[in-house]
């Protein structure tokens, strides 16, 4: 990378537009960037970084825009640079606020990026050719050409000596942070984390597999029970070795014992089955004999009982015969019974109908009852015609109530609207007073707000005033100290110079040699040379005293400039804030803020008042309309009420006469209708009773003649003998069943087999059943034992197969975990076999550190005149800490290595500078080999003596031999005399400026 031109505009402290010609600055290969503190030296490098990466070093986005620049001058950076052989021009404009092109106020200006490349046309003429306008595309292309990230660029191109001094003196952890960031070794940390995670995963899988084996072993132990044992030891979690082959042997042995026990239980079950079959045969024979004896005894008993029922059966036969004879006269008997039932029913109906008649109607015959019925129905018809008039009365009553309700509602509305209209003027006057007060409060609030803003600006100015006054006091003290130091060092310098002048003769005499001309008088003989005096200062003492005095004067000048700046800033702030104290201003601000809040509260009432006035106008219109409507409605409802009252009075008198003692006309009409219905019912019942008497007399005569014809003396005997078909059928079936039962039991008693069984002793069924039950229990126990043994055998077979599978799965998981754990311990430096405890990332960084140390020693050898050599150490750190990034320095004067923190300030500077230059070489090579033609070195030269400074500058000049340009950022005055190409940065109240100087300072 080689820088050509940099153009700054409204960037950082630079208010205007400035251009830096790096081609001219790099003419000698070495240039100096110097100026006052805070002038903007580091801003130049920040602009280069922003041009290349779109962001300055660190997080300084808010400092890009210059506070001194005019509002209409945009902040811009343009950099011409050669990257990987391509000359590019990068133009960037950050996001910022700018004035609107029309109107007042500001608007946001979006960030812009333009990338152009210098190209030649077909005629050999060069021109800038646009490459990209996309921020992302340009940044990606530039980063690819540079081959390094923004952090690497800031670390390698700008060599911050203070940071590398810390790196030189840091412990292994501190070096690891910087090297890891520069060499981007995070991928090795990722490998370490992945291997650790993988080790934990394999351990988890291994433990799960072990748990499966232990779980299956526990299930096998439970399935085997306490009656099975093995000569092998069961697997235990305490001894993981027993979870593989020993576990399989233990399970196989238990399975073999289970097979043997299963065979024994099968043999015992077969023997029990034979005994059970034999006892079942004996029990069946006893049961059959018992059944035959019981059948014979039961038949004998049932036949004896049937013989006892013979008289009853004879009675049933006689009753059946009488019923059959009565069955032949059944039609006449049934007709007589039906006529008697009809006579009794009509007699009861006629008696019941007369019970509901009025007293004057109870003794009337059928004809008289009919006449009374007709007269009653005619009267009911007259009343029925008046029933609608009752509905008319109810309708008129309801209408009268509704009209009266409307009258009351209209009267209420009339009174309500009238009351509201009378009170409305007072309410309107009160709202208008509130509205005027709110408008006055709004105007007063605007005045308070303006005053509050002005007071806030004075408070901020007062804060700055008090701060600057404090700085003035400190600066005055610093200036007094600096003046005292200048006076003191001046007196020391003059004393040393006077003493050296007084001893100059002795100093010159020390250089005289016989035969050599005196540089003063030219004589070759020196008869009486002056003798030196003890304690006289040397030339070096004089130069040192002069340098100290110059430094004191520079410090005094800086303190005076700082005091002047602070006084100007304090005066400016005092002019803005006045002499009022900050406390008084805060008190005024709080009081005014409270008064503004109260004023705003009063002003906020304006909107509510306006809304209430509009609501009042709307309601006034509604209330007026309501009053008019209510007045008209009340007049109309009064006229309707009078008309309805007259109609209701007339109709009510007519209906009162018609309903008599009944509540309604309809009730009286219903009562007359019910009376007519009762009269009609009684007349019909009286006629029906006369017909039933005639029918009963006729049918009774016919039934009596039929009974005598079939052998019954009287009608009553025939009716008693008569049975229903169901009863007669039941008697027939009972007689038939008795005869069949007698025949069946007689046949059973005549069976020879049963007669023989009856002659034998009674069968002992209980003894046979008890013997069979005992053998049944024995068989059930043997079968259950065989079934349990079979179930256990199957379970053990399945569990043993599962255990074999689990053991086979456990083996590879054990090996995988062992390998993963070994790799994880190895890359994290925890492996017992590791010679040193070094993590993988530290190991890679140690190799990079060795390369950096090798590259650094080429410069350190020159700067220290061969005295010092850096070396990398990977010895074990104290108390078992991580190792691999140790750094020590060997002093050739003593031949012994020592710690880097024992170096002096100047030695630490050129050692850290060597490390920085070496690191730049290694990172450049690591990033792809693109050369970094321009480097910046920031401060640290003030710690060097004159000779060492010359050696360091020689090393920097040697970089120019390798086509590199070095920019030195320093305040050291000696560098201004040594370096011709200089870029001077000056600060002022209106912004910093740049000046290119081409001659060394005198």
């Amino acid at each position: 990378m080689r820088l050509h031109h940099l153009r700054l505009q409204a960037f950082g402290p630079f208010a205007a537009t400035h251009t830096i010609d790096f081609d001219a600055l790099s003419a000698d290969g070495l240039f100096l960037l110097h100026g006052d503190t805070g002038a903007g030296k580091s801003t130049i490098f920040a602009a280069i970084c922003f041009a290349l990466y779109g962001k300055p070093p660190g997080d300084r986005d808010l400092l890009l825009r210059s506070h001194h620049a005019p509002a209409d001058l945009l902040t811009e950076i343009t950099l011409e640079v050669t990257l990987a052989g391509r000359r590019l021009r990068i133009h960037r404009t950050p996001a910022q606020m700018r004035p609107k092109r029309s109107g007042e106020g500001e608007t946001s200006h979006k960030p812009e990026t333009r990338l152009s490349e210098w190209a030649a046309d077909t005629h050999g003429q060069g021109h800038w050719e646009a490459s990209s306008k996309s921020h992302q595309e340009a940044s990606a292309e530039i980063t690819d050409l540079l081959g390094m990230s923004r952090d690497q660029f800031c670390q390698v191109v700008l060599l911050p000596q203070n940071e590398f001094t810390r790196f030189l003196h840091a412990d292994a952890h501190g070096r690891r942070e910087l090297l890891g960031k520069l060499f981007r070794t995070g991928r090795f940390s990722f490998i370490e984390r992945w291997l650790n995670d993988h080790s934990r995963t394999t351990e988890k899988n291994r433990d799960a597999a072990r748990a499966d084996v232990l779980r299956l072993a526990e299930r096998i132990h439970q399935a085997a029970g306490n009656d099975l044992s093995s000569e092998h030891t069961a697997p235990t979690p305490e001894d993981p070795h027993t979870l593989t082959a020993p576990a399989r042997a233990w399970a196989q042995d238990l399975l073999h014992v289970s097979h043997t026990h299963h065979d024994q239980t099968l043999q015992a079950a077969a023997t029990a089955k034979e005994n059970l079959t034999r006892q079942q045969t004996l029990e069946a024979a006893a049961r059959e004999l018992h059944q035959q004896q019981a059948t014979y005894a039961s038949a004998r008993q049932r036949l004896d009982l049937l013989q006892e029922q013979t008289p009853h059966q004879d009675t049933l036969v006689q009753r059946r015969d009488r019923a059959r004879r009565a069955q032949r006269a059944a039609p006449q008997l049934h007709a007589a019974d039906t006529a008697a039932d009809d006579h009794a029913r009509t007699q009861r109906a006629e008696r019941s109908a007369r019970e509901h008649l009025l007293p004057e109607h109870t003794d009337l015959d059928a004809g008289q009852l009919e006449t009374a019925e007709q007269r009653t129905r005619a009267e009911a018809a007259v009343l029925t015609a008046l029933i609608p008039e009752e509905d008319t009365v109810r309708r008129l009553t309801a209408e009268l109530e509704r009209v009266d309700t409307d009258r009351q509602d209209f009267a209420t509305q009339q009174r309500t609207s009238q009351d509201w209209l009378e009170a409305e003027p007072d309410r309107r006057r009160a709202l208008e007073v509130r509205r005027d007060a709110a408008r006055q409060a709004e105007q007063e609030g605007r005045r308070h707000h303006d005053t509050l803003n002005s007071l806030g600006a004075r408070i901020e100015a007062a804060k700055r005033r008090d701060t600057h006054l404090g700085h003035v006091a400190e600066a005055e003290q610093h200036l007094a100290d600096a003046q005292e130091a200048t006076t003191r060092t001046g007196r020391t310098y003059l004393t040393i110079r006077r003493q050296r002048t007084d001893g100059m003769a002795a100093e010159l005499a020390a250089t005289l040699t016989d035969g050599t001309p005196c540089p003063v008088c030219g004589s070759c003989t020196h008869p009486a040379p002056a003798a030196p005096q003890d304690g006289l200062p040397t030339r070096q003492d004089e130069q040192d005293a002069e340098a100290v005095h110059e430094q004191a004067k520079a410090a005094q000048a800086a303190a005076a400039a700082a005091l002047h700046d602070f006084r100007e800033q304090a005066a400016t702030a005092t002019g803005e804030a006045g002499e009022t104290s900050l406390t008084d201003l805060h008190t005024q601000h709080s009081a005014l803020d409270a008064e503004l809040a109260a004023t705003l509260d009063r002003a906020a009432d304006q909107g509510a008042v306006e809304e209430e006035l509009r609501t009042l106008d709307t309601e006034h219109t509604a209330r007026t309309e309501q009053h008019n409507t209510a007045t008209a409605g009340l007049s109309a409802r009064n006229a309707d009420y009078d008309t309805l009252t007259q109609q209701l009075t007339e109709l009510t008198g007519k209906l009162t006469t018609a309903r008599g003692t009944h509540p309604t006309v309809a009730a009286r009409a219903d009562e007359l209708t019910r009376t007519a219905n009762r009269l009609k019912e009684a007349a019909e019942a009286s006629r029906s009773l006369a017909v039933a008497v005639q029918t009963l007399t006729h049918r009774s005569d016919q039934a009596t003649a039929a009974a005598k014809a079939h052998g019954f003396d009287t009608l009553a005997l025939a009716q008693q003998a008569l049975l229903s078909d169901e009863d007669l059928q039941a008697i027939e079936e009972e007689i038939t069943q008795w005869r069949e039962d007698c025949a069946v039991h007689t046949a059973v008693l005549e069976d020879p087999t049963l007669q023989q069984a009856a002659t034998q002793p009674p069968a002992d069924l209980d003894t046979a059943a008890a013997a069979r039950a005992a053998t049944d229990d024995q068989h059930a126990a043997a079968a259950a034992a065989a079934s349990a043994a079979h179930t256990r055998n199957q379970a053990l077979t399945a569990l043993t197969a599962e255990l074999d599978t689990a053991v086979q799965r456990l083996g590879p998981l054990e090996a995988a975990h062992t390998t993963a754990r070994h790799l994880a311990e190895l890359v994290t430096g925890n492996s017992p076999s590791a010679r040193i405890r070094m993590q993988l990332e530290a190991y890679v960084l140690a190799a990079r550190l060795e390369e950096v140390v090798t590259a650094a020693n080429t410069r350190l050898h020159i700067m220290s005149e061969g005295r010092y050599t850096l070396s990398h150490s990977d010895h074990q750190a104290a108390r078992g800490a991580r190792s691999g990034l140790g750094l020590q320095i060997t002093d050739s004067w003593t031949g012994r290595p020592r710690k880097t923190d024992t170096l002096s300030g100047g030695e630490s500077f050129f050692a850290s500078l060597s490390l920085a230059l070496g690191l730049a070489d290694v990172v450049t090579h690591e990033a792809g080999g693109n050369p970094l033609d321009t480097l910046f070195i920031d401060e640290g030269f003030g710690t060097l003596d004159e000779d060492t400074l010359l050696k360091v500058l020689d090393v920097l000049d040697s970089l120019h031999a390798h086509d590199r340009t070095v920019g030195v950022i320093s305040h050291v005055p000696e560098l201004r005399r040594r370096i011709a190409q200089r870029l001077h940065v000056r600060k002022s109240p209106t912004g910093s400026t740049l000046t290119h100087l081409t001659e060394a300072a005198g």
Side-chain angles (χ1 to χ4, degrees):
M1 180 197 74
R2 176 173 295 277
L3 303 176
H4 299 292
H5 294 89
L6 176 65
R7 179 176 175 273
L8 307 173
Q9 179 174 293
F11 189 85
F14 300 100
T17 302
H18 299 276
T19 301
I20 302 175
D21 187 352
F22 284 104
D23 290 334
L25 276 175
S26 306
D28 297 336
L30 187 65
F31 65 89
L32 176 66
L33 182 61
H34 64 97
D36 297 333
T37 300
K41 299 185 296 297
S42 299
T43 304
I44 295 175
F45 183 76
I48 296 172
C49 183
F50 176 75
L52 293 173
Y53 292 95
K55 290 185 67 177
D59 296 322
R60 298 170 57 186
D61 288 348
L62 298 179
L63 302 179
L64 297 181
R65 174 71 181 169
S66 175
H67 297 305
H68 304 284
D72 57 349
L73 186 64
L74 291 178
T75 297
E76 296 178 349
I77 296 294
T78 303
L79 175 66
E80 291 185 24
V81 61
T82 297
L83 299 177
R86 297 170 57 185
R87 182 157 180 167
L88 303 175
R89 182 169 66 188
I90 308 166
H91 178 84
R92 290 189 188 268
T93 302
Q96 57 195 289
M97 300 302 294
R98 62 170 178 80
K100 292 182 178 179
R101 293 186 175 87
S102 59
E104 299 180 354
E106 293 183 330
T107 185
S108 175
H109 185 84
K110 296 182 178 179
E112 298 178 1
T113 299
R114 294 196 297 272
L115 179 63
S116 304
E117 183 174 0
W118 184 259
D121 56 18
T122 56
H123 302 290
Q125 297 294 325
H127 65 281
W128 289 106
E129 184 176 301
S131 176
S132 173
K133 290 185 179 180
S134 169
H135 177 77
Q136 290 78 9
E137 291 179 2
S139 297
E141 184 173 357
I142 294 170
T143 302
D144 291 342
L145 292 175
L146 282 170
M148 62 183 70
S149 66
R150 180 169 63 101
D151 291 337
Q152 288 177 312
F153 176 83
C154 295
Q155 192 71 50
V156 173
V157 177
L158 176 65
L159 305 181
Q161 293 308 307
N162 291 335
E163 183 170 344
F164 273 94
T165 301
R166 289 196 301 270
F167 177 78
L168 182 69
H169 297 160
D171 56 8
H173 177 73
R175 295 192 184 102
R176 179 173 181 171
E177 279 192 14
L178 176 61
L179 294 176
K181 181 169 62 175
L182 292 178
F183 291 107
R184 293 183 285 189
T185 55
R187 58 189 182 278
F188 299 105
S189 296
F190 172 77
I191 292 174
E192 294 176 19
R193 292 193 300 272
W194 185 89
L195 287 174
N196 273 322
D197 293 343
H198 181 61
S199 175
R200 287 192 291 269
T201 300
T202 56
E203 182 180 11
K204 181 179 179 181
N205 295 336
R206 189 273 318 268
D207 292 344
R210 285 182 177 180
D212 289 342
V213 172
L214 290 171
R215 177 178 55 79
L216 290 171
E218 179 63 23
R219 290 179 62 189
I220 290 174
H221 183 74
Q222 293 176 355
N226 297 326
D227 55 335
L228 292 185
S229 60
S230 171
E231 60 183 9
H232 296 277
T233 304
T236 61
E238 292 78 13
D239 187 3
H241 175 70
T242 61
L243 300 181
T244 52
R248 299 172 68 178
W250 169 74
Q252 291 292 340
D253 187 49
L254 283 179
L255 182 60
H256 176 71
V257 174
S258 176
H259 281 313
T260 302
H261 181 260
H262 182 223
D263 293 341
Q264 293 173 354
T265 56
L266 288 177
Q267 183 63 36
T271 302
K273 179 65 176 177
E274 294 176 357
N275 293 334
L276 178 62
T277 302
R278 183 170 59 255
Q279 288 299 329
Q280 287 176 342
T281 302
L282 294 176
E283 182 188 18
R287 289 187 180 280
E288 185 179 2
L289 176 61
H290 178 270
Q291 180 65 30
Q292 292 174 349
Q293 291 176 344
T295 301
Y296 186 84
S298 177
R300 179 74 272 171
Q301 183 181 7
R302 295 294 300 277
L303 184 60
D304 291 342
L305 291 175
L306 290 174
Q307 293 297 330
E308 292 176 359
Q309 296 178 5
T310 301
H312 174 67
Q313 292 295 323
D314 293 341
T315 301
L316 287 178
V317 170
Q318 294 174 2
R319 185 180 176 186
R320 180 195 63 186
D321 293 341
R322 286 198 304 271
R324 285 178 177 175
R325 285 189 288 110
Q327 192 80 23
R328 298 186 185 97
Q332 293 80 9
L333 296 177
H334 285 310
D337 290 339
T338 301
D341 292 339
D342 290 342
H343 175 265
R345 178 176 55 77
T346 55
Q347 192 175 30
R348 289 193 301 273
E350 196 263 350
R351 193 164 47 245
S352 176
R354 287 185 178 275
E355 289 176 355
H356 294 90
L357 296 177
L358 295 176
E360 62 267 22
H361 299 149
T362 54
D363 296 331
L364 300 179
D365 57 18
Q368 293 171 337
L369 290 173
E370 288 181 356
T371 302
E373 175 202 357
Q374 293 173 359
R375 185 173 58 251
T376 302
R377 289 191 186 279
E379 187 178 357
V382 173
L383 292 176
T384 301
L386 293 176
I387 290 177
E389 298 297 333
E390 287 188 321
D391 292 337
T392 302
V393 170
R394 286 192 292 272
R395 180 179 58 77
L396 291 175
T397 302
E399 183 67 17
L400 191 63
E401 291 176 355
R402 184 184 63 78
V403 171
D404 188 53
T405 301
D406 290 345
R407 289 171 61 205
Q408 296 176 6
D409 290 343
F410 282 127
T412 301
Q413 293 176 14
Q414 187 183 42
R415 288 193 302 272
T416 301
S417 58
Q418 183 64 34
D419 293 342
W420 189 93
L421 290 172
E422 291 174 355
E424 186 245 352
D426 295 336
R427 291 180 60 191
R428 184 177 297 278
R429 283 192 294 272
L431 289 175
E432 289 174 349
V433 170
R434 282 177 56 194
R435 180 180 61 187
D436 295 339
R439 288 175 177 175
Q440 293 176 0
E442 183 179 11
Q443 295 175 358
E444 185 179 354
R446 292 194 185 97
R447 293 193 298 272
H448 287 338
H449 186 271
D450 295 339
T451 305
L452 198 62
N453 289 338
S454 176
L455 192 56
R458 289 185 61 193
I459 289 175
E460 295 300 322
K463 292 179 180 177
R464 296 196 303 273
R465 176 198 64 195
D466 294 347
T467 301
H468 293 326
L469 289 175
H471 291 162
V472 166
E474 295 176 358
E476 288 174 346
Q477 183 62 42
H478 291 164
L479 179 58
D481 295 341
Q483 288 173 344
E484 181 182 357
T486 302
T487 303
R488 184 179 63 257
T489 56
R491 286 197 299 267
T492 302
Y493 170 63
L494 292 176
T495 300
I496 291 175
R497 185 169 184 176
R498 185 173 57 253
Q499 291 175 352
R500 183 169 176 269
T501 302
D502 294 341
M504 188 67 71
E507 182 179 343
L508 181 60
T511 63
L512 296 177
T513 304
D514 290 338
T516 304
C518 175
V520 178
C521 63
S523 175
C524 293
T525 61
H526 317 293
Q533 299 179 7
D534 294 336
L536 288 178
T538 63
R539 180 175 179 272
Q540 183 63 44
D541 293 335
E542 180 184 358
Q543 291 178 349
D544 292 342
E546 181 184 8
V548 171
H549 181 53
E550 290 296 330
Q551 291 178 355
K553 289 196 295 183
Q556 178 182 346
L563 177 59
H564 180 267
D565 290 343
F566 286 136
R567 284 175 174 170
E568 286 185 352
Q569 293 171 357
T572 301
T574 302
E576 296 177 5
E579 298 297 335
T580 307
S581 66
L582 182 60
T583 302
D584 292 341
L585 289 175
H586 276 299
T587 302
Q588 294 176 17
H589 188 278
S590 299
L592 188 58
D593 195 16
E595 187 174 353
L596 175 62
T599 303
L600 292 178
D601 289 340
R602 295 195 303 273
D605 190 36
Q606 181 177 353
V609 171
E610 294 288 352
E611 183 63 27
E612 290 184 29
L613 284 172
R614 287 192 292 271
T615 303
L616 187 65
D617 292 338
T618 303
E619 190 170 0
H620 174 80
T621 302
R623 293 289 186 175
T624 302
E625 182 178 355
Q626 181 185 24
H627 183 270
N628 296 335
T629 303
T631 301
L634 181 61
S635 177
R637 292 300 183 274
N638 287 334
D640 294 340
Y641 186 83
D642 294 339
T643 303
L644 291 173
T645 301
Q646 182 179 359
Q647 295 177 358
L648 183 62
T649 301
E650 295 175 356
L651 189 57
T652 301
K654 180 179 178 181
L655 291 177
T656 300
T657 304
R659 62 175 170 260
T661 60
H662 291 79
T664 63
V665 175
R668 186 181 178 190
D670 291 341
E671 179 64 24
L672 292 175
T673 301
R674 285 193 296 272
T675 300
N677 292 336
R678 293 190 190 105
L679 290 171
K680 180 179 180 181
E681 182 180 356
E684 292 176 350
S686 180
R687 292 191 184 90
S688 297
L689 178 60
V691 173
V693 170
Q694 294 177 359
T695 303
L696 177 60
T697 301
H698 176 70
R699 291 182 178 177
S700 295
D701 294 343
Q702 290 179 343
T704 300
K708 290 180 179 181
H710 292 89
F712 293 99
D713 295 334
T714 64
L715 177 61
L717 291 175
Q719 289 176 337
Q720 291 175 358
L722 185 64
L723 296 175
S724 65
D725 294 339
E726 291 80 6
D727 293 339
L728 183 60
Q729 180 67 25
I731 292 174
E732 289 283 0
E733 290 177 353
E734 185 177 356
I735 293 172
T736 303
Q737 185 64 43
W738 181 80
R739 291 175 179 175
E740 291 177 353
D741 291 342
C742 289
V744 168
H745 293 308
T746 301
V748 170
L749 292 175
E750 292 176 354
D751 185 353
T753 302
L754 297 180
Q755 290 177 355
Q756 182 181 0
T759 60
Q760 295 182 11
D764 192 356
L765 189 60
D766 294 337
T767 301
R772 196 272 310 159
T775 55
D776 194 8
D777 293 341
Q778 294 174 358
H779 174 262
S787 176
H790 176 69
T791 301
R792 179 170 62 183
N793 199 46
Q794 287 183 329
L796 288 176
T797 301
L799 290 173
T800 302
E802 292 184 26
L803 182 65
D804 288 342
T805 303
V807 169
Q808 291 176 3
R809 187 168 65 88
L810 176 60
L813 293 176
E814 290 278 7
H817 173 62
T818 301
T819 301
R821 182 180 60 186
H822 174 69
L823 288 175
E825 291 176 348
L826 192 63
V827 299
T828 55
N830 294 322
S831 175
S833 61
R835 181 175 59 86
I836 54 176
R837 299 180 69 238
M838 185 182 296
Q839 293 176 274
L840 176 61
E841 183 181 9
Y843 178 80
V844 175
L845 292 177
R848 293 291 184 267
L849 184 57
E850 288 182 354
E851 298 176 4
V852 172
V853 168
T854 301
N857 280 330
T858 59
R859 278 88 180 204
L860 181 60
H861 182 77
I862 300 173
M863 296 181 191
S864 65
E865 294 183 323
R867 179 179 177 182
Y868 294 116
T869 303
L870 287 168
S871 60
H872 159 254
S873 171
D874 56 5
H875 293 308
Q876 184 77 17
R879 295 185 296 276
R882 303 295 185 187
S883 57
L885 295 176
L887 197 62
Q888 60 188 11
I889 192 163
T890 302
D891 189 348
S892 63
W893 291 2
T894 63
R896 294 181 179 179
R898 59 174 175 165
K899 294 183 179 179
T900 55
D901 56 4
T902 62
L903 296 174
S904 66
E907 292 170 339
S908 296
F909 169 74
F910 60 66
S912 61
L913 177 60
S914 300
L915 274 175
L917 293 173
L919 184 64
D921 292 341
V922 175
V923 171
T924 300
H925 178 73
E926 179 76 12
N930 293 330
L932 296 175
D933 300 327
T934 305
L935 298 176
F936 291 87
I937 301 175
D938 188 6
E939 284 302 345
F941 294 91
T943 60
L944 303 178
D945 58 60
E946 184 176 2
D947 293 338
T948 305
L949 179 60
L950 291 175
K951 295 181 179 65
V952 171
L953 292 178
D954 290 341
V955 171
L956 298 180
D957 284 336
S958 68
L959 295 176
H960 181 55
H962 296 85
D963 202 21
R964 278 191 177 182
T965 298
V966 177
V968 176
I969 305 174
S970 177
H971 296 85
V972 177
E974 182 64 24
L975 291 177
R976 303 176 196 172
R977 295 191 290 269
R978 300 281 183 175
I979 302 175
Q981 299 292 337
R982 292 181 291 130
L983 189 63
H984 188 198
V985 184
R986 293 186 178 89
K987 65 179 180 180
S988 68
T990 59
S992 298
T993 59
L994 293 171
T995 304
H996 181 191
L997 305 176
T998 58
E999 293 182 359

